[in-house]
């Protein structure tokens, strides 16, 4: 049974998709500009779009890391995934598959105090 995705996790998934889409558009624009020498329009349009998407991705990844209680290494992977083209897509799939886009599960400790699990099931 799939783990339900938290609102923050859903926002991360959408922004990861947008970041990858603008990366792809920028790559096509760079090919058109520097390889075929036909137009600079792709770079002019997707350059600023990707720059904005990148900044939003970093901000949403940091918010998700705090709210979804990611370990430091998952946060580092999420931030590093924005640098090479299209890597945010497989990262988002992995985060979803391992339950890291879901709200942390509240558990009860042996002494009856409510605590929060920090490691998703199957991680």
């Amino acid at each position: 049974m799939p783990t339900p995705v938290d609102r923050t996790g859903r926002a991360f998934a959408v922004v990861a998709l947008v970041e990858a889409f603008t990366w792809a558009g920028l790559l096509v624009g760079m090919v058109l500009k520097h390889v075929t020498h036909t137009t600079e329009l792709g770079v002019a349009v997707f350059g600023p779009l990707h720059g904005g998407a990148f900044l939003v991705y970093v901000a949403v990844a940091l918010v998700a890391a705090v709210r979804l209680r990611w370990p430091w290494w998952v946060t580092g992977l999420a931030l590093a995934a924005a640098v090479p083209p299209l890597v945010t897509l497989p990262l988002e799939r992995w985060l979803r598959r391992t339950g890291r886009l879901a709200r942390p599960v509240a558990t009860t400790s042996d002494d009856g105090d409510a605590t929060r699990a920090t490691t998703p099931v199957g991680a």
Side-chain angles (χ1 to χ4, degrees), residues 50-97:
H50 178 65
F54 176 84
L55 293 175
V56 170
Y57 175 85
V58 168
V60 171
L62 291 173
V63 168
V66 171
R67 288 191 179 168
L68 302 177
R69 298 178 183 245
W70 291 346
W72 66 268
W73 61 272
V74 173
T75 305
L77 280 175
L79 295 175
V83 178
L86 309 174
V87 176
T88 57
L89 295 177
L91 176 82
E92 184 274 333
R93 286 188 198 111
W94 175 74
L95 290 170
R96 185 181 301 266
R97 185 174 38 85

